[in-house]
Amino acid sequence: MERAQPDNLEVRRREAGRYGPPFDRSAARRSLSVLQTAVLCGLVAGAAAFLWLEPRLFGQVAIAAGAWGFLAIAVWRISLILLSAVSPGPPPEPAVWPRYTVVAALYHEAEVVGQLIERLSRIDYPADRLQGLLVLEAHDHATIAAARAAPRPEWLEVFVAPPGRPQTKPRALNCALACATGDLLTVYDAEDDPDPLQLREAAARFAADPTGRLACLQAPLRIRRRGRASAPSPFLDRQFAAEYASLFETTLPGVTRLGLPFPLGGTSNHFRTDVLSAVEGWDAWNVTEDADLGFRLWNRGWRLGVIQRPTWETPPGGLDNWLPQRTRWLKGYMQTWGVHTREPWRLGWRGAAALILTVGAGLVSAALHGLSLAWVAATVLVSLAAGLPPGTPTLALSVLVLGAASAWLSCAIGARRAGVPYGPGDMIVAPAYWALLSLAFAHAAWRLVFEPYAWDKTRHRRDAPPEAAETQDVLDETAPLRLSAVHAAAPEPVA
């Protein structure tokens, strides 16, 4: 989707009322709330006074607080790894399969829309219970023509969204939501290759939910390994695949086992359509509308879960594609943090803790990875130049070792479950990838101020032919079906 450039506050207020949540609970509102302003001013004033009165003690306290915070995150990550090992059995099939709406919002995707249609055609679900919507923008003539020219199953139709602002993926999804006829609804992206049985598993899981409060199921996203002939950036591709494996194979299943909310992935999430409509759909002004929606479902009293059947994707490729994508994600995390800290009591203490440990920790980690790596490198180099061993405070050493070990372990276990490569060489170069996240963070912070609603679109290309890239069959041989723990019964969240 292209950049959204609202003219003024009134435009954002009017469009926010038409699409998605109310203006005051949307990323369309850019100003801080009274609570946010008071907390920010208090923290800045307190820190400034502390630094003025006790500059040495301030430094010690700041370092200790940061170290203990990162230790807590490392322990949290290890706990999620252990919790994600639980794998309940498959649910029984429902007596009657519910109607299902499959939505894919596309923009400038003429190259891959035919490939997507082929993949969606392989979905194994009763055809008379399916509705499919390829949501396209009215002025994207090339994609419309390619979609209409491609052979499509009868249940899959081309849906041209009416003109409007902002021109983003979540707005397109909201247009489709108004026309959805399914009891359940799922979202796919242009490059997705979903497991043909994914809809059946999700439908069965919803039907087997004993609480009636399950609103969304997230399928694991896995990065398809590319052959040497088609991999322009093997370093970024392998690290990106491991990062996805860590998130979708260990972190999200672990969080689900605790009965907590989490930021959804932008694709392969399955919703109860009535619930999705009741929570006003997606926030059209949030560039990671999926992350926001997970917490909005929670604060309305609904639960999230995960399923096992995956969706395969390809990595973004070189730095010219990776950086804009990661920038958008981090900018959207900043928007999500800003929206849900306006009234944090709406999440309850468990939801607020989950927001801090997922969205908040992700932002802080991205901001400090590069600085931490630079500090370690500078300390070692200065010590070597002076002919002295580098200082190794116990707390700092513990943070370094446990933090890196927990990240490596999460990636290694997730990669093994997902069937993607991650070996000692990948572990050695992983800090360089983490440092790149700091570059993306700085870019995202800048863009949040000057281009808050700009949508950095990722360019998608058709997959390489089988001789140049591994096929899904090869992945199936290396990745067992049991890869993610399904949702477990948990106490209902605070409404």
Side-chain angles (χ1 to χ4, degrees):
M1 299 294 171
E2 70 179 16
R3 294 179 177 180
Q5 300 285 354
D7 298 326
N8 51 46
L9 179 63
E10 288 307 314
V11 171
R12 298 200 305 274
R13 189 185 301 274
R14 183 173 62 254
E15 295 295 344
R18 290 180 59 193
Y19 303 105
F23 177 78
D24 286 340
R25 296 178 187 172
S26 164
R29 172 181 172 177
R30 298 187 62 188
S31 60
L32 298 176
S33 67
V34 174
L35 174 63
Q36 289 172 320
T37 302
V39 170
L40 181 61
C41 290
L43 289 175
V44 171
F50 193 4
L51 180 61
W52 176 263
L53 297 173
E54 297 286 348
R56 185 171 182 177
L57 181 59
F58 175 84
Q60 294 174 346
V61 170
I63 292 173
W68 283 109
F70 275 100
L71 276 178
I73 293 174
V75 173
W76 162 255
R77 186 181 288 124
I78 292 172
S79 300
L80 295 181
I81 294 172
L82 297 175
L83 288 168
S84 68
V86 180
S87 176
E93 291 187 356
V96 177
W97 292 104
R99 288 191 54 81
Y100 228 116
T101 297
V102 177
V103 180
L106 311 177
Y107 185 64
H108 287 171
E109 300 288 6
E111 181 179 353
V112 299
V113 65
Q115 174 180 270
L116 175 65
I117 291 173
E118 292 174 9
R119 292 169 172 177
L120 295 181
S121 300
R122 295 198 294 262
I123 289 176
D124 184 353
Y125 200 82
D128 62 339
R129 312 295 290 171
L130 279 175
Q131 175 199 29
L133 300 174
L134 298 175
V135 189
L136 310 178
E137 298 292 341
H139 62 278
D140 187 6
H141 303 296
T143 307
I144 293 175
R148 287 177 172 166
R152 304 189 310 276
E154 292 184 1
W155 56 266
L156 184 60
E157 60 184 286
V158 175
F159 177 91
V160 179
R165 304 280 296 275
Q167 188 182 300
T168 56
K169 173 186 173 182
R171 178 191 173 272
L173 294 177
N174 281 333
C175 293
L177 176 60
C179 301
T181 60
D183 305 297
L184 304 176
L185 180 147
T186 188
V187 177
Y188 291 121
D189 280 347
E191 78 278 22
D192 284 356
D193 187 3
D195 186 298
L197 294 174
Q198 188 180 111
L199 268 60
R200 286 183 180 267
E201 183 188 359
R205 189 64 61 186
F206 277 115
D209 173 45
T211 67
R213 305 302 298 173
L214 181 63
C216 177
L217 290 167
Q218 174 70 60
L221 304 181
R222 295 185 191 145
I223 302 303
R224 190 190 306 279
R225 293 178 286 180
R226 294 179 172 182
R228 294 181 183 275
S230 62
S233 52
F235 163 70
L236 286 176
D237 288 356
R238 291 173 71 96
Q239 294 295 327
F240 189 82
E243 183 182 23
Y244 259 47
S246 172
L247 174 64
F248 289 100
E249 311 295 344
T250 63
T251 299
L252 296 192
V255 173
T256 301
R257 288 288 298 172
L258 292 172
L260 297 175
F262 52 81
L264 297 171
T267 174
S268 304
N269 23 56
H270 300 254
F271 301 96
R272 282 178 48 182
T273 308
D274 59 341
V275 174
L276 186 58
S277 299
V279 299
E280 300 96 13
W282 293 268
D283 184 353
W285 301 92
N286 191 317
V287 297
T288 54
E289 74 293 338
D290 42 344
D292 165 76
L293 183 54
F295 290 97
R296 272 200 292 121
L297 287 168
W298 169 271
N299 68 32
R300 296 285 287 271
W302 299 98
R303 293 196 301 119
L304 312 178
V306 294
I307 55 177
Q308 298 181 25
R309 297 280 179 178
T311 294
W312 287 273
E313 294 187 338
T314 52
L319 189 63
D320 58 332
N321 282 324
W322 178 90
L323 183 59
Q325 184 185 61
R326 179 56 76 178
T327 295
R328 176 169 60 83
W329 290 353
L330 288 171
K331 184 172 70 173
Y333 267 36
M334 295 174 188
Q335 291 178 316
T336 299
W337 177 267
V339 167
H340 290 282
T341 54
R342 291 173 191 161
E343 300 174 320
W345 55 85
R346 292 177 57 86
L347 293 171
W349 73 268
R350 297 175 70 240
L355 181 72
I356 293 170
L357 290 169
T358 55
V359 174
L363 289 172
V364 173
S365 297
L368 296 182
H369 276 316
L371 294 175
S372 301
L373 185 62
W375 178 77
V376 171
T379 300
V380 172
L381 291 174
V382 169
S383 299
L384 291 176
L388 298 172
T392 54
T394 302
L395 184 58
L397 185 62
S398 300
V399 171
L400 179 64
V401 173
L402 188 59
S406 65
W408 285 329
L409 185 63
S410 182
C411 285
I413 292 177
R416 181 174 181 179
R417 294 174 179 174
V420 300
Y422 193 73
D426 298 298
M427 294 181 179
I428 292 173
V429 299
Y433 181 80
W434 302 340
L436 284 176
L437 294 176
S438 295
L439 174 63
F441 177 89
H443 196 199
W446 177 270
R447 297 288 294 279
L448 181 66
V449 175
F450 295 100
E451 294 180 296
Y453 309 116
W455 188 281
D456 293 302
K457 185 185 179 305
T458 303
R459 180 182 177 184
H460 300 124
R461 300 176 177 86
R462 286 188 66 90
D463 279 3
E467 62 271 18
E470 292 183 281
T471 64
Q472 180 173 315
D473 293 336
V474 174
L475 287 175
D476 287 342
E477 293 176 2
T478 58
L481 177 58
R482 197 239 70 74
L483 304 164
S484 300
V486 297
H487 79 276
E492 291 189 11
V494 178

